[in-house]
Every structure is written in structure tokens, then in C-alpha cells.
Amino acid sequence: MIFLASSCMLGNEARYLAECIETNMVSYNGPFVERFEKAVAQACDVRFAIATNTGTAALHIALILAGIGPGDKVVLPDITFIAPANAVRYVGAEPVFVDVEPDYWQMDMEKLSDYLKANGRGVKAIMPVHLHGHPVDLDILYGIAGRYGITVIEDAAEALGARYVHAPVGSLRTPQGLACLSFNGNKIVTCGGGGAILTNDPDLAKRAKHLTTTAKSDPLEYGHDEVGYNYRMTNIQAALGLAQIETLESRVQVKRTRALRYWEGLFRVPGLTLPKQARWAYSTYWMYSVLFDPLLFGKSAREVRDILWHDHEIETRTLWCPLHMQPPYRGCEAYKIEVAPRLYEQSLSLPVSVGLTQEDQARVIEAIKRIER
Ligand SMILES: *Cc1c(COP(=O)(O)O)cnc(C)c1O
């Protein structure tokens, strides 16, 4: 069986986890959360990382920190995991979906700009998603956001280790800037589950810690000074995450090598469109997603998915379902959606785990070629 995205242990995972058990520090005590937060901040070149129990929780808190609430609109790309849209709803705001561009599948900056020109009133934040480990065009994005005075909260959940020109994704452009990460099991670095809020502002960092730890003001008397959230990360989660992030560089290298090998193996196959890297991008290929043109290839992406699974025991997945098509978000504003449905129809993500062996990858490439013949 070859799985789409399994986690992979490369370093100190067992040692750090054993330390949690030997010291009996398995919960919200112990040294690993702080060590992990430091390592995450360093990897993303920011001053503070505040660990949370999920990436979704990190997005929720980031929206609160940015002062987003009822009546505000938040612009999101139409193609993403559903978490950022849910987080927007958690604070009572309204998501607006903008189409993605056809080359790198990131939020379409021209359409974003057009949307704001015509409908900018009420838009309080833009939440770009660095889809599949490829950065959005941050120069253009921050130019647009600056022109309209709109906050940017970067959902960098899929792009830890990626770079925009030379800057790590997650490194922030504005003093009050915010970005979020996820350490879910399928991400490049995992805590089992987890997330982080990134900021350079000491006050925002302090408030993020306060809100994620039940807004406790007096630990001896169980005093809480506002409605907080129990979004804490445990020592166990952080121990696993620390060991994983210590090997981030080699994880990215492995995934980029896998991407290159897919390109070498598949670029001649008619009817396939392979992922590209923009000139500003250093992608981690968190997912490696290919478009299947059913006329030229002879089979649709979903047919290929089913054949790979049933005949070859290879797991693949279609792209995130466009948000404007998801039942909870069907009534929302969706701007010039033209590209997203085609990508959803034609794309398939191939296995590209850090632990995927060269032999297994060759088996995936051969299976796709055999289907085509
Ligand atoms: C994984 C992911 C998240 C966070 O997911 P959690 O499972 O809550 O950690 C958020 N946004 C995107 C785009 C993601 O891929």
C-alpha cells in the first residue's frame, strides 16, 4: 500500500517522547512547548510562535487578534482546505471566495484587485492560503492590501519550509502581521495534531498565549479575565513536533527531489499537466497535484484515482473541493469563479510523503503510464 501523505520519523522523535513519559510530563507541563515554539519561530524567521492544539484554532485566534468580527468580510481563495472559512465563521464574519489562477493555483491577484475595487467596502481582512507548499505572490498581495488598508492573515498551514524569493513563508511583512501553521498528521512537520500563530509583535504574542490558555489571570484562584479558549498544545505534541522540525530542511529536500522525479517520469505522458513553480517560489511540494485531461489522457482524474487504488493499492486524492460548492458556504459571495471548478474536476494529488521510497515512487509512475497505454 502506498499512502498519499503519511508522517515520517527522521530524528529525535522516540527520544523526546520517551523523555515526556520518563519525566511524567505528558500534558500542559514540561519544557517542550517552549522549545518547539522557539524552533518554529526560528524556522519562519519571526520573533514569536504561539503553539496551539490545531491549525484551525490558530486561524481562529489570529482572526480575533486582528479584530475581525460580525459584519466584517474576509476574502479567501476558493480552493483550500475548509479550515480558514470555518475560522472566519467562528468569529461571526463572512467569507468571500475569489478564484485561483490557472498556473500555480493560488488566489488570483487580478481578480482580488478587481473585487476590492468594486466591492471593497466591509472587507476587513484577506486570508491567502499558500496552497500545496507553493507561496502566493506576496509582493502583489501586500501591495493590494496596503492600498486598501486591509489586514493580511496568511494561512501558511501547507507551506512550512517554502520560501518567497529568499524569505521563509510565514515571515511577516508588517509589524502587526499574522500567519498560521498546522502540524496535522499529513503536514510536512507533525505534532500528531497542532498549530501555531506567528507574529513579531510582543503584545499580540502575549494576547495570543492568553486567549489560547483559557484567559487565565490568576492560576492559584482559577481566575479568568475574559472568555478564553482551551487551545493549548501538550508537552507530548511539542516533543514530537520539535524532533520533526529539527529535520525540516531535509524534509523539504526530499519532497523537492520527489517532485523532480515525478516530472522526469511523467512529463512526456500526453494529457497530463504537472505542477509548476513560479519565478518567486521555492515550493515544498507539500502536495504534488497533476491535472488529467480526460480527452488526451483517456481517463478522468476520478477514474485514475479508482484504478490506482483498486488495481495498484496507491492512494491519491482530488483537490480540495471549491469552497463555494461546500454546503455551509453555498450562499456566500464568490467572485469570478472560472478556474477552480476545472482544477477540482481534473486534478489528482499523488503520493509525495517524506517517507516515500524511490521504488514506491517508480511504481506510482509506472502505474500511471500503464493506465495511459
Ligand atoms: C491543514 C490545514 C489547516 C489546519 O488544519 P488543522 O487540521 O486544524 O491543523 C488550515 N488551512 C489549510 C489550508 C490546511 O491545509
Side-chain angles (χ1 to χ4, degrees):
M1 216 85 99
I2 303 177
F3 292 106
L4 176 67
S6 31
S7 39
C8 177
M9 311 300 149
L10 293 180
N12 288 321
E13 285 88 346
R15 194 157 75 80
Y16 292 170
L17 286 171
E19 212 175 300
C20 295
I21 296 184
E22 283 154 14
T23 57
N24 200 27
M25 289 184 178
V26 294
S27 185
Y28 302 115
N29 49 359
F32 281 112
V33 170
E34 213 178 303
R35 286 177 66 186
F36 179 60
E37 287 177 332
K38 287 219 165 83
V40 171
Q42 192 176 11
C44 295
D45 199 15
V46 296
R47 284 184 69 193
F48 307 101
I50 295 85
T52 56
N53 58 349
T54 65
T56 308
L59 290 166
H60 182 188
I61 296 299
L63 284 158
I64 295 173
L65 294 174
I68 312 299
D72 297 332
K73 292 201 247 179
V74 179
V75 182
L76 302 169
D78 194 37
I79 298 240
T80 164
F81 178 52
I82 202 163
N86 288 344
V88 167
R89 277 280 172 80
Y90 296 164
V91 297
E94 267 304 301
V96 174
F97 307 121
V98 166
D99 203 10
V100 295
E101 39 76 19
D103 292 329
Y104 315 110
W105 310 6
Q106 308 298 323
M107 188 194 269
D108 188 316
M109 291 300 145
E110 233 175 276
K111 288 180 178 173
L112 171 67
S113 177
D114 289 349
Y115 173 77
L116 292 174
K117 216 176 285 169
N119 315 276
R121 236 178 332 129
V123 174
K124 194 82 174 283
I126 305 168
M127 226 181 208
V129 176
H130 303 286
L131 194 80
H132 287 183
H134 186 293
V136 307
D137 192 337
L138 289 171
D139 282 349
I140 308 258
L141 172 71
Y142 277 88
I144 295 169
R147 196 142 62 250
Y148 291 91
I150 297 171
T151 305
V152 176
I153 301 168
E154 293 182 44
D155 182 343
E158 300 182 2
L160 175 62
R163 292 203 286 266
Y164 180 84
V165 192
H166 297 299
V169 163
S171 62
L172 300 159
R173 295 268 184 131
T174 57
Q176 305 278 296
L178 292 159
C180 295
L181 297 172
S182 165
F183 305 107
N184 182 39
N186 62 0
K187 299 299 195 311
I188 193 163
V189 162
T190 187
C191 295
I197 304 154
L198 308 177
T199 178
N200 285 320
D201 183 307
D203 294 332
L204 285 179
K206 216 166 138 195
R207 182 146 168 75
K209 197 44 126 182
H210 191 61
L211 285 173
T212 53
T213 54
T214 62
K216 198 182 288 169
S217 51
D218 186 342
L220 290 180
E221 298 286 339
Y222 296 104
H224 302 264
D225 57 13
E226 63 182 308
V227 177
Y229 300 86
N230 187 359
Y231 284 169
R232 294 172 293 179
M233 179 178 271
T234 65
N235 202 43
I236 287 189
Q237 287 169 299
L240 182 60
L242 178 64
Q244 295 244 315
I245 205 163
E246 285 170 353
T247 56
L248 176 61
E249 274 311 308
S250 44
R251 287 169 184 275
V252 173
Q253 286 308 325
V254 170
K255 285 176 87 74
R256 287 176 60 86
T257 307
R258 295 281 166 274
L260 185 62
R261 198 143 282 135
Y262 269 133
W263 189 82
E264 290 166 350
L266 296 173
F267 82 99
R268 280 180 215 282
V269 179
L272 293 196
T273 306
L274 305 180
K276 284 183 292 195
Q277 209 178 213
R279 91 201 122 63
W280 63 78
Y282 179 87
S283 173
T284 62
Y285 295 94
W286 175 64
M287 282 286 155
Y288 191 91
S289 298
V290 175
L291 294 182
F292 288 81
D293 179 332
L295 293 178
L296 284 172
F297 185 79
K299 295 259 186 310
S300 73
R302 281 166 179 74
E303 286 171 320
V304 174
R305 174 191 64 191
D306 295 344
I307 294 168
L308 287 175
W309 181 244
H310 291 120
D311 299 355
H312 301 273
E313 298 189 311
I314 295 169
E315 184 191 25
T316 58
R317 287 277 181 89
T318 52
L319 189 60
W320 307 123
C321 174
L323 292 180
H324 79 278
M325 293 163 63
Q326 298 275 19
Y329 298 110
R330 262 181 211 151
C332 292
E333 244 181 299
Y335 189 70
K336 285 200 186 155
I337 308 288
E338 292 147 340
V339 175
R342 178 175 62 84
L343 298 182
Y344 175 54
E345 186 62 37
Q346 297 194 347
S347 73
L348 209 56
S349 297
L350 309 181
V352 68
S353 305
V354 172
L356 179 72
T357 63
Q358 250 188 73
E359 298 75 54
D360 280 351
Q361 187 178 21
R363 191 150 85 68
V364 177
I365 293 170
E366 272 321 300
I368 291 170
K369 284 177 158 170
R370 197 169 325 152
I371 295 171
E372 185 258 327
R373 267 183 230 122

